[in-house]
Amino acid sequence: MDTANFLVIESDQGRADAVMSALHFLGYRPQLDSELSEQDANEQEWRAVYVGQVVDDNKLRRRLDTLGQQGAGSIPLLLAADSPQSSRLAGNDSPFAGCVERLQFPLRYEQVAEAMRSLHARQISAAQGRARFVGRSSPMARVNALIRQVAPFDSSVLVLGESGTGKEMVARTIHECSPRRDKPFVAINCGAIPAELLESELFG
């Protein structure tokens, strides 16, 4: 049996059936979250997640928090437009920010297909920055998740690590995933500049 690749979180059975039918039609293999154990849901490699009307908001938070901590923030997220969680999950502080589309009900195949096309296009664009980091280990997933968390904000970021661990690579990736990606990125090796010349080198 094929492994499911699209997580469906929906308490309304009628809507769940409509979403599952549309996803099957588009070639996905959807799986209802309510039919999965906690471990199976967290270990699966989801291509996308749908969130609709949810009765247990605490369970939803735990599920999505776990996915986000595992570096799954890049997973496309489809939201029912009238879902109470819609604004929170699409907000800037959400690990899914920038990778969200909303669906209107009654559902149409064309709407779902267009939403997924839009999300995949954004994924491809964002992948230009993420492509520097390869690997599926837990530590690497956490690094990627942190990069996506801080990149959208206009704030200073301190990257710590031993020599050769890729600090500059992390900094470049943050820049490439940020709103300033079209501006220059200037790397300066402060350790190679004598203390008495540092100020003039940085500020002229």
Side-chain angles (χ1 to χ4, degrees):
M1 177 177 162
D2 287 338
T3 304
N5 61 14
F6 206 120
L7 182 63
V8 175
I9 306 175
E10 175 63 75
S11 299
D12 185 297
Q13 189 58 51
R15 286 192 172 192
D17 290 342
V19 171
M20 298 277 282
S21 176
L23 294 174
H24 275 299
F25 181 80
L26 294 173
Y28 293 99
R29 298 186 298 277
Q31 174 67 57
L32 278 173
D33 181 70
S34 58
E35 298 176 354
L36 290 172
S37 68
E38 192 83 12
Q39 182 176 349
D40 288 342
N42 294 336
E43 289 181 352
Q44 193 74 284
E45 294 182 10
W46 304 108
R47 288 182 60 188
V49 179
Y50 162 83
V51 177
Q53 299 288 351
V54 179
V55 173
D56 190 343
D57 188 57
N58 288 330
K59 181 180 178 182
L60 174 65
R61 284 175 182 270
R62 288 196 303 272
R63 173 74 75 243
L64 296 182
D65 284 349
T66 301
L67 290 176
Q69 289 164 10
Q70 292 173 347
S74 60
I75 295 178
L77 190 65
L78 290 182
L79 295 173
D82 57 356
S83 166
Q85 296 82 11
S86 180
S87 297
R88 172 171 62 85
L89 294 176
N92 285 335
D93 57 346
S94 167
F96 297 90
C99 213
V100 173
E101 284 286 339
R102 292 180 172 88
L103 299 178
Q104 301 286 345
F105 283 82
L107 201 62
R108 293 177 295 108
Y109 291 126
E110 302 81 29
Q111 182 191 181
V112 180
E114 181 57 36
M116 292 308 300
R117 276 194 294 269
S118 173
L119 287 170
H120 287 316
R122 270 182 267 170
Q123 274 189 308
I124 291 171
S125 175
Q128 294 175 351
R130 294 198 304 273
R132 295 179 180 276
F133 294 96
V134 295
R136 304 177 65 84
S137 68
S138 235
M140 191 57 70
R142 285 195 295 273
V143 169
N144 278 320
L146 286 171
I147 288 172
R148 288 192 297 275
Q149 233 176 338
V150 301
F153 301 99
D154 185 14
S155 59
S156 300
V157 178
L158 177 64
V159 182
L160 301 174
E162 296 179 7
S163 179
T165 55
K167 296 184 294 298
E168 183 181 331
M169 193 178 293
V170 169
R172 284 185 181 277
T173 306
I174 292 173
H175 173 73
E176 290 171 4
C177 293
S178 76
R180 296 183 180 183
R181 65 178 67 88
D182 57 337
K183 303 294 191 298
F185 176 88
V186 182
I188 299 174
N189 182 1
C190 295
I193 303 173
E196 58 272 14
L197 298 179
L198 183 61
E199 184 175 352
S200 60
E201 284 287 338
L202 293 179
F203 306 110

